[in-house]
Amino acid sequence: GENVEQHPSTLSVQEGDSAVIKCTYSDSASNYFPWYKQELGKRPQLIIDIRSNVGEKKDQRIAVTLNKTAKHFSLHITETQPEDSAVYFCAAGSGFQKLVFGTGTRLLVSP
Amino acid sequence: NAGVMQNPRHLVRRRGQEARLRCSPMKGHSHVYWYRQLPEEGLKFMVYLQKENIIDESGMPKERFSAEFPKEGPSILRIQQVVRGDSAAYFCASSPNTGTDQPQHFGDGTRLSIL
């Protein structure tokens, strides 16, 4: 089955810096890769997703890149703000199937 | 358009009791997924259902756990004879019934505590 690895487990940056979180997946059949942000005690919120027919997608300060050959995808957050502090999860799936999540990255943005 | 609704938000049970967790998907969504999250960990898939059908239950323990999504009413995740290890946050997600690779939107979760 699918296995998703996520790095780093914790990431501390200064406000205004960029943050990059990386994930790798094992199942070449996976074709859908969402990213979720989860604040303490809250629901996971979808922040961006990418499908296998594109290599990059951007939404304001957030971008995701996908390398299907290498089976890895990354989340890029530019101009970080304290409210970006949260746990970020990558996931991989296909069609309507289950999502397999990474283990999460705790991002701390210091003012 | 209301989001995914889960209740209760918090549930306390003693060992050996039953826990029932409810999930109403977003309007227009007919795919429901249940995930479990232990403290400081990621989300683990449990079961995927459509109306009146279990599509994939590969992540759900074979004993004590069951799930349903009846024609009318919410999806129910049922845990019988709960044990301390069942303590976790249980999240439900739903996705639309058209197209492929549609995003899964999560509810606020049910935090289950076993005494």
Side-chain angles (χ1 to χ4, degrees), chain A residues 42-84:
Chain A
K42 301 277 185 73
R43 70 174 74 182
Q45 285 191 302
L46 179 69
I47 56 171
I48 195 167
D49 57 11
I50 191 167
R51 291 163 177 80
S52 58
N53 57 342
V54 297
E56 185 173 357
K57 183 176 178 181
K58 189 174 181 180
D59 183 4
Q60 299 184 336
R61 297 186 296 108
I62 295 173
V64 59
T65 59
L66 171 65
N67 182 328
K68 282 206 70 178
T69 303
K71 295 200 191 81
H72 67 71
F73 56 114
S74 300
L75 177 71
H76 304 252
I77 306 174
T78 58
E79 300 172 28
T80 53
Q81 302 166 3
E83 49 266 39
D84 293 330

Side-chain angles (χ1 to χ4, degrees), chain B residues 30-32 34 47-50 53-55 67-69 75:
Chain B
S30 61
H31 300 262
V32 168
W34 286 93
V47 61
Y48 161 37
L49 311 100
Q50 295 180 29
N53 283 303
I54 296 176
I55 307 302
E68 62 176 8
F69 190 15
S75 175

Side-chain angles (χ1 to χ4, degrees), chain B residues 34-50:
Chain B
W34 286 93
Y35 294 85
R36 177 164 63 178
Q37 186 176 36
L38 294 172
E40 305 295 321
E41 293 191 12
L43 295 102
K44 303 292 186 188
F45 168 79
M46 299 183 72
V47 61
Y48 161 37
L49 311 100
Q50 295 180 29

